[in-house]
Amino acid sequence: MANDPPTETPDRGQNDVKQDDAPATAPTPQTTVSRPQPARKPSKRSYSGKKETMNGPLYMQASNNVVIVRRLKRNGEGAIKQLTRWFVENQIGFSFNLLALLFLAHGIPRARTHTIKYFTLSYHNPQSGLYGIGWDDTYLTAFCVLLFTLLRASVMEYVLAPFAKSQGVSKRKDITRFSEQAWLLMYYTVFWSMGVYIYVNSPHYLNLHELWTSWPVREISGLMKGYMLAQLAFWVQQILVINIEERRKDHWQMFAHHIVTNALIFASYRYGHTRVGNLILVLMDVVDLFFPAAKCLKYLGYNTLCDVMFGLFMVSWFIARHVLYVYVCWSVYAHTPDIMPTGCFSGPDTNRSGPLDPPTTKGSWYLLEPLWDSEGLVCYDEKVKWIFLSMLLFLQALTIMWFTLIVQLAIKVLRGGSAEDPRSDDEGEDLEDEDEYVYEEAQPLEEEVGVEALDLKNWERRTGVKRQATTATGVSLPGHSDRKELLGRIGCEKQVD
């Protein structure tokens, strides 16, 4: 989506006269010696289109008839940097090819028993109509990661970026940021709505006590299972996104946030706490409806609407993430000891045994057993409570840190400023990170051929020029045929006797 630098047609120097326009005089046969051209100093050009030392298209001709080629140079790039840049530039083709290969493999009858796991929910129980959990869920999650990668890159490249340009957004960074925020707005509109639908039609709707009843739950509805796995896939893909694309100043805070979010979604899914997982996702996602909308309005130039949307974003952030979210954390601390049975359980829901005493020979490793064994021990005690509560409070600490930036931004708006994201790119505003255009002399492709090898008839058809027996003045060059004249006209550097 980057805009290429504007191209200019280089002016010909006074000495750069076309051969066809030269005075028709009989040239003196001579030998031309090819001289090496001096190395040219690389020159930088930014994506802002501002000329620094050299401007021109991909290929240009200097005043001394030397063809200069322009290439994009990357300074100090290691193998990992080059790999991530390649993935960013080819993520549409990469993800599409993998998905196409998967669908093609699914067309093979013998492979369908394996590929079907990528497209459907696993562990269906026909007796209860519910779905269990297990490692086969990894296949569908991987499929969703690839699908989100393809959808995100394709929608940004072919829908959102052209729309931003049509609305007058011209800077490359602004187009990219608009596309990113618009994609997030689309995603959260779909999955927040789905999460709210699940929450409203669940027994824990507006009842925190019901978050913890009937535990352990190892079979859930197909809608809840698909919702949790899709959310997990999205946040896994977000970890990939923030590490391959341009970094912001709060990169490591965002990275920690994404790691903890993935850990909470995965743990709540494997531990049978999908009810509280659904509620927390609904509370978090509602805020991400207003912020991307505010950013998109800003990039489109609707500053007043942006400020209004930012005000709604600020209010929703405070209520959802610092009031209701804290209330859920308090429920984990206060309600779970009274409602959830203390001890361990094992087996599926249809053949569950427990409560059992925690094993004494495994140390604290038994607490992690549900993460890899869907029918193994799943326990609740003070350790489990504080592990979950600590991760939730860590997210709360991050949101408090970000909320201080929001308050500072709100004060700026009230003083007459505009609502701008306080987080900025690590790179400069106009210069791309470590990018520069380098102009080098193009090396000609030389091949020794005889005069008889020239196909003059084919040359006549391509150029429309008819051969003549004499030069333009009617003076014949002794010892020179039409082929020899052609060699001079096309710049041959050897005299032909």
Side-chain angles (χ1 to χ4, degrees):
M1 291 182 289
N3 295 326
D4 291 333
T7 60
E8 297 179 1
T9 303
D11 297 331
R12 288 182 176 270
Q14 295 179 356
N15 297 328
D16 295 339
V17 181
K18 290 184 179 180
Q19 184 71 20
D20 293 340
D21 301 333
T25 59
T28 303
Q30 58 181 354
T31 302
T32 303
V33 180
S34 177
R35 298 179 180 178
Q37 299 296 327
R40 277 160 174 74
K41 184 178 179 180
S43 60
K44 295 183 180 180
R45 271 185 55 79
S46 67
Y47 278 97
S48 61
K50 297 179 180 179
K51 182 177 179 179
E52 293 183 17
T53 57
M54 181 179 286
N55 191 8
L58 183 60
Y59 296 97
M60 62 182 297
Q61 186 174 9
S63 60
N64 53 358
N65 289 331
V66 176
V67 177
I68 303 299
V69 61
R70 188 191 72 199
R71 67 181 179 86
L72 194 61
K73 182 180 179 182
R74 311 285 186 179
N75 287 333
E77 284 192 350
I80 297 179
K81 182 69 173 179
Q82 293 176 359
L83 179 62
T84 56
R85 190 180 297 278
W86 177 89
F87 186 79
V88 170
E89 296 172 351
N90 298 276
Q91 53 185 319
I92 296 178
F94 179 77
S95 54
F96 176 82
N97 288 333
L98 286 180
L99 290 175
L101 183 63
L102 189 59
F103 279 106
L104 288 175
H106 188 63
I108 303 174
R110 291 184 179 180
R112 283 179 189 166
T113 56
H114 302 285
T115 57
I116 193 66
K117 300 176 183 178
Y118 288 95
F119 309 117
T120 59
L121 299 174
S122 302
Y123 305 107
H124 180 249
N125 186 346
Q127 297 179 351
S128 62
L130 302 176
Y131 291 84
I133 59 177
W135 280 110
D136 283 353
D137 296 331
T138 308
Y139 297 102
L140 181 60
T141 305
F143 173 80
C144 290
V145 171
L146 286 175
L147 183 61
F148 283 139
T149 301
L150 176 62
L151 289 177
R152 179 181 183 271
S154 301
V155 171
M156 287 175 57
E157 182 74 19
Y158 299 112
V159 178
L160 300 176
F163 174 77
K165 292 178 182 179
S166 68
Q167 298 301 308
V169 183
S170 58
K171 290 185 178 180
R172 183 187 67 88
K173 278 189 180 295
D174 290 347
I175 293 174
T176 302
R177 294 302 184 207
F178 172 85
S179 302
E180 291 173 351
Q181 297 301 321
W183 162 254
L184 290 177
L185 180 60
M186 295 170 62
Y187 172 82
Y188 286 117
T189 299
V190 173
F191 279 89
W192 180 77
S193 301
M194 184 185 298
V196 169
Y197 176 82
I198 294 173
Y199 177 66
V200 170
N201 292 277
S202 67
H204 58 279
Y205 177 60
L206 298 180
N207 189 342
L208 291 180
H209 289 82
E210 286 295 326
L211 293 174
W212 320 112
T213 58
S214 303
W215 184 87
V217 179
R218 289 189 159 177
E219 288 187 346
I220 55 180
S221 66
L223 183 60
M224 176 69 87
K225 182 183 179 76
Y227 171 76
M228 295 295 292
L229 292 180
Q231 287 276 28
L232 179 61
F234 172 78
W235 286 104
V236 170
Q237 197 253 351
Q238 284 297 102
I239 293 179
L240 178 67
V241 166
I242 67 171
N243 281 284
I244 65 174
E245 297 188 347
E246 294 182 9
R247 294 188 176 186
R248 307 183 76 114
K249 287 186 176 180
D250 64 344
H251 168 79
W252 292 111
Q253 293 93 323
M254 290 295 294
F255 182 74
H257 170 271
H258 294 352
I259 291 294
V260 174
T261 300
N262 276 281
L264 280 171
I265 295 175
F266 181 71
S268 64
Y269 178 73
R270 299 287 298 194
Y271 251 88
H273 289 306
T274 53
R275 294 180 182 179
V276 66
N278 164 240
L279 176 57
I280 290 177
L281 286 171
V282 168
L283 294 177
M284 289 293 187
D285 290 353
V286 66
V287 178
D288 292 319
L289 290 174
F290 297 104
F291 183 67
K295 291 295 292 288
C296 290
L297 290 171
K298 177 184 179 299
Y299 290 126
L300 295 177
Y302 300 102
N303 292 327
T304 301
L305 289 177
C306 170
D307 293 342
V308 172
M309 191 63 65
F310 178 77
L312 295 175
F313 157 72
M314 186 175 178
V315 172
S316 66
W317 180 296
F318 179 77
I319 295 176
R321 298 189 175 183
H322 298 301
V323 177
L324 299 179
Y325 180 88
V326 172
Y327 193 38
V328 174
C329 293
W330 178 81
S331 179
V332 174
Y333 174 79
H335 295 161
T336 56
D338 297 334
I339 300 174
M340 294 178 59
T342 301
C344 299
F345 297 84
S346 64
D349 283 352
T350 56
N351 189 23
R352 183 191 308 161
S353 60
L356 308 172
D357 293 330
T360 58
T361 58
K362 296 183 179 181
S364 297
W365 289 105
Y366 70 93
L367 299 176
L368 303 178
E369 190 170 334
L371 303 182
W372 60 74
D373 188 355
S374 58
E375 295 184 358
L377 287 178
V378 55
C379 305
Y380 171 79
D381 54 20
E382 285 293 309
K383 291 181 181 179
V384 175
K385 181 183 79 172
W386 282 106
I387 288 174
F388 277 95
L389 192 56
S390 297
M391 289 191 290
L392 292 173
L393 293 177
F394 177 78
L395 289 182
Q396 180 63 197
L398 285 177
T399 55
I400 289 175
M401 180 194 68
W402 285 322
F403 190 67
T404 57
L405 298 177
I406 296 173
V407 172
Q408 294 174 2
L409 188 56
I411 295 174
K412 178 183 176 182
V413 173
L414 293 176
R415 290 178 177 176
S418 61
E420 297 180 358
D421 191 354
R423 304 172 301 161
S424 60
D425 301 324
D426 286 339
E427 297 82 0
E429 186 67 23
D430 295 324
L431 296 178
E432 185 168 309
D433 183 24
E434 301 296 333
D435 289 358
E436 61 179 16
Y437 288 110
V438 178
Y439 293 85
E440 297 176 345
E441 178 181 344
Q443 299 298 324
L445 179 62
E446 299 179 351
E447 182 180 357
E448 293 289 342
V449 296
V451 174
E452 300 298 330
L454 294 177
D455 187 357
L456 293 180
K457 291 185 178 180
N458 188 31
W459 176 75
E460 289 176 2
R461 287 194 298 269
R462 292 198 313 268
T463 61
V465 177
K466 297 295 183 179
R467 286 188 297 161
Q468 297 179 357
T470 61
T471 60
T473 59
V475 179
S476 299
L477 298 179
H480 284 252
S481 65
D482 290 336
R483 288 193 176 114
K484 297 172 186 176
E485 181 185 359
L486 176 61
L487 290 175
R489 293 171 65 88
I490 64 176
C492 179
E493 294 183 338
K494 272 191 174 183
Q495 178 186 357
V496 180
D497 296 329

